[in-house]
Amino acid sequence: MNNAPFSPIVSPQPAAPKTRGSPTRSLYPVETLRRMVAAWRERNQFHVELERKLKGDPHLIDDIGLTRRQVEEELARPFWQVL
């Protein structure tokens, strides 16, 4: 008789899908698109808030450590451009 402890046969877990190229790129295009749109929304909202601060209370721009020129350059850039 075998005195080894009983080990049930378990089906292996499916491996996580590997990404090709960029480590942030997903193999799931819909998920990638959702993340991209979410980032664009965040950047657009940031631009809206920044413009509101620039027009409403320009001293707030100084408080966050930016110059008026830096804010205007940021606002001139499209929301989909990171840098």
Side-chain angles (χ1 to χ4, degrees), residues 4-16:
F6 175 74
S7 60
I9 299 174
V10 180
S11 62
Q13 295 290 333

PDB file of all heavy atoms in Angstrom, residues 4-16:
ATOM      1  N   ALA A   4       1.458   7.540   0.806  1.00  0.00           N
ATOM      2  CA  ALA A   4       1.497   8.962   0.424  1.00  0.00           C
ATOM      3  C   ALA A   4       0.124   9.577   0.630  1.00  0.00           C
ATOM      4  O   ALA A   4      -0.890   8.917   0.432  1.00  0.00           O
ATOM      5  CB  ALA A   4       1.912   9.090  -1.034  1.00  0.00           C
ATOM      6  N   PRO A   5       0.089  10.824   1.079  1.00  0.00           N
ATOM      7  CA  PRO A   5      -1.207  11.479   1.293  1.00  0.00           C
ATOM      8  C   PRO A   5      -1.953  11.622  -0.031  1.00  0.00           C
ATOM      9  O   PRO A   5      -1.356  11.761  -1.091  1.00  0.00           O
ATOM     10  CB  PRO A   5      -0.865  12.841   1.882  1.00  0.00           C
ATOM     11  CG  PRO A   5       0.568  13.066   1.561  1.00  0.00           C
ATOM     12  CD  PRO A   5       1.195  11.719   1.393  1.00  0.00           C
ATOM     13  N   PHE A   6      -3.248  11.576   0.070  1.00  0.00           N
ATOM     14  CA  PHE A   6      -4.089  11.679  -1.111  1.00  0.00           C
ATOM     15  C   PHE A   6      -4.059  13.103  -1.646  1.00  0.00           C
ATOM     16  O   PHE A   6      -4.246  14.055  -0.918  1.00  0.00           O
ATOM     17  CB  PHE A   6      -5.530  11.286  -0.744  1.00  0.00           C
ATOM     18  CG  PHE A   6      -6.506  11.476  -1.866  1.00  0.00           C
ATOM     19  CD1 PHE A   6      -6.510  10.593  -2.932  1.00  0.00           C
ATOM     20  CD2 PHE A   6      -7.392  12.528  -1.860  1.00  0.00           C
ATOM     21  CE1 PHE A   6      -7.412  10.766  -3.964  1.00  0.00           C
ATOM     22  CE2 PHE A   6      -8.287  12.702  -2.897  1.00  0.00           C
ATOM     23  CZ  PHE A   6      -8.303  11.815  -3.947  1.00  0.00           C
ATOM     24  N   SER A   7      -3.825  13.255  -2.929  1.00  0.00           N
ATOM     25  CA  SER A   7      -3.873  14.582  -3.544  1.00  0.00           C
ATOM     26  C   SER A   7      -4.842  14.504  -4.717  1.00  0.00           C
ATOM     27  O   SER A   7      -4.625  13.769  -5.669  1.00  0.00           O
ATOM     28  CB  SER A   7      -2.495  15.025  -4.017  1.00  0.00           C
ATOM     29  OG  SER A   7      -1.994  14.130  -4.972  1.00  0.00           O
ATOM     30  N   PRO A   8      -5.933  15.231  -4.625  1.00  0.00           N
ATOM     31  CA  PRO A   8      -6.924  15.169  -5.703  1.00  0.00           C
ATOM     32  C   PRO A   8      -6.362  15.782  -6.981  1.00  0.00           C
ATOM     33  O   PRO A   8      -5.505  16.655  -6.949  1.00  0.00           O
ATOM     34  CB  PRO A   8      -8.096  15.985  -5.169  1.00  0.00           C
ATOM     35  CG  PRO A   8      -7.490  16.896  -4.165  1.00  0.00           C
ATOM     36  CD  PRO A   8      -6.313  16.165  -3.592  1.00  0.00           C
ATOM     37  N   ILE A   9      -6.857  15.296  -8.081  1.00  0.00           N
ATOM     38  CA  ILE A   9      -6.445  15.850  -9.367  1.00  0.00           C
ATOM     39  C   ILE A   9      -7.253  17.117  -9.605  1.00  0.00           C
ATOM     40  O   ILE A   9      -8.475  17.106  -9.575  1.00  0.00           O
ATOM     41  CB  ILE A   9      -6.677  14.839 -10.501  1.00  0.00           C
ATOM     42  CG1 ILE A   9      -5.847  13.587 -10.239  1.00  0.00           C
ATOM     43  CG2 ILE A   9      -6.359  15.454 -11.840  1.00  0.00           C
ATOM     44  CD1 ILE A   9      -6.117  12.485 -11.212  1.00  0.00           C
ATOM     45  N   VAL A  10      -6.545  18.198  -9.801  1.00  0.00           N
ATOM     46  CA  VAL A  10      -7.182  19.494 -10.000  1.00  0.00           C
ATOM     47  C   VAL A  10      -6.835  19.976 -11.394  1.00  0.00           C
ATOM     48  O   VAL A  10      -5.683  19.890 -11.813  1.00  0.00           O
ATOM     49  CB  VAL A  10      -6.695  20.516  -8.944  1.00  0.00           C
ATOM     50  CG1 VAL A  10      -7.343  21.860  -9.151  1.00  0.00           C
ATOM     51  CG2 VAL A  10      -6.950  19.989  -7.553  1.00  0.00           C
ATOM     52  N   SER A  11      -7.830  20.471 -12.082  1.00  0.00           N
ATOM     53  CA  SER A  11      -7.546  21.000 -13.412  1.00  0.00           C
ATOM     54  C   SER A  11      -6.738  22.289 -13.274  1.00  0.00           C
ATOM     55  O   SER A  11      -6.980  23.094 -12.377  1.00  0.00           O
ATOM     56  CB  SER A  11      -8.844  21.260 -14.169  1.00  0.00           C
ATOM     57  OG  SER A  11      -9.610  22.227 -13.494  1.00  0.00           O
ATOM     58  N   PRO A  12      -5.759  22.467 -14.124  1.00  0.00           N
ATOM     59  CA  PRO A  12      -4.913  23.652 -14.015  1.00  0.00           C
ATOM     60  C   PRO A  12      -5.702  24.920 -14.331  1.00  0.00           C
ATOM     61  O   PRO A  12      -6.645  24.912 -15.112  1.00  0.00           O
ATOM     62  CB  PRO A  12      -3.824  23.415 -15.067  1.00  0.00           C
ATOM     63  CG  PRO A  12      -4.417  22.437 -16.021  1.00  0.00           C
ATOM     64  CD  PRO A  12      -5.391  21.617 -15.234  1.00  0.00           C
ATOM     65  N   GLN A  13      -5.299  26.007 -13.667  1.00  0.00           N
ATOM     66  CA  GLN A  13      -5.914  27.311 -13.910  1.00  0.00           C
ATOM     67  C   GLN A  13      -5.462  27.819 -15.276  1.00  0.00           C
ATOM     68  O   GLN A  13      -4.316  27.628 -15.655  1.00  0.00           O
ATOM     69  CB  GLN A  13      -5.493  28.311 -12.828  1.00  0.00           C
ATOM     70  CG  GLN A  13      -5.989  27.955 -11.444  1.00  0.00           C
ATOM     71  CD  GLN A  13      -7.493  28.123 -11.337  1.00  0.00           C
ATOM     72  OE1 GLN A  13      -8.085  28.916 -12.051  1.00  0.00           O
ATOM     73  NE2 GLN A  13      -8.108  27.357 -10.461  1.00  0.00           N
ATOM     74  N   PRO A  14      -6.349  28.477 -16.003  1.00  0.00           N
ATOM     75  CA  PRO A  14      -5.924  29.027 -17.287  1.00  0.00           C
ATOM     76  C   PRO A  14      -4.906  30.140 -17.067  1.00  0.00           C
ATOM     77  O   PRO A  14      -5.012  30.911 -16.115  1.00  0.00           O
ATOM     78  CB  PRO A  14      -7.216  29.573 -17.902  1.00  0.00           C
ATOM     79  CG  PRO A  14      -8.154  29.734 -16.765  1.00  0.00           C
ATOM     80  CD  PRO A  14      -7.746  28.729 -15.729  1.00  0.00           C
ATOM     81  N   ALA A  15      -3.918  30.169 -17.911  1.00  0.00           N
ATOM     82  CA  ALA A  15      -2.884  31.184 -17.788  1.00  0.00           C
ATOM     83  C   ALA A  15      -3.448  32.540 -18.172  1.00  0.00           C
ATOM     84  O   ALA A  15      -4.325  32.654 -19.021  1.00  0.00           O
ATOM     85  CB  ALA A  15      -1.705  30.830 -18.697  1.00  0.00           C
ATOM     86  N   ALA A  16      -2.931  33.572 -17.517  1.00  0.00           N
ATOM     87  CA  ALA A  16      -3.347  34.936 -17.855  1.00  0.00           C
ATOM     88  C   ALA A  16      -2.852  35.256 -19.257  1.00  0.00           C
ATOM     89  O   ALA A  16      -1.769  34.834 -19.649  1.00  0.00           O
ATOM     90  CB  ALA A  16      -2.760  35.914 -16.850  1.00  0.00           C
TER      91      ALA A  16
END
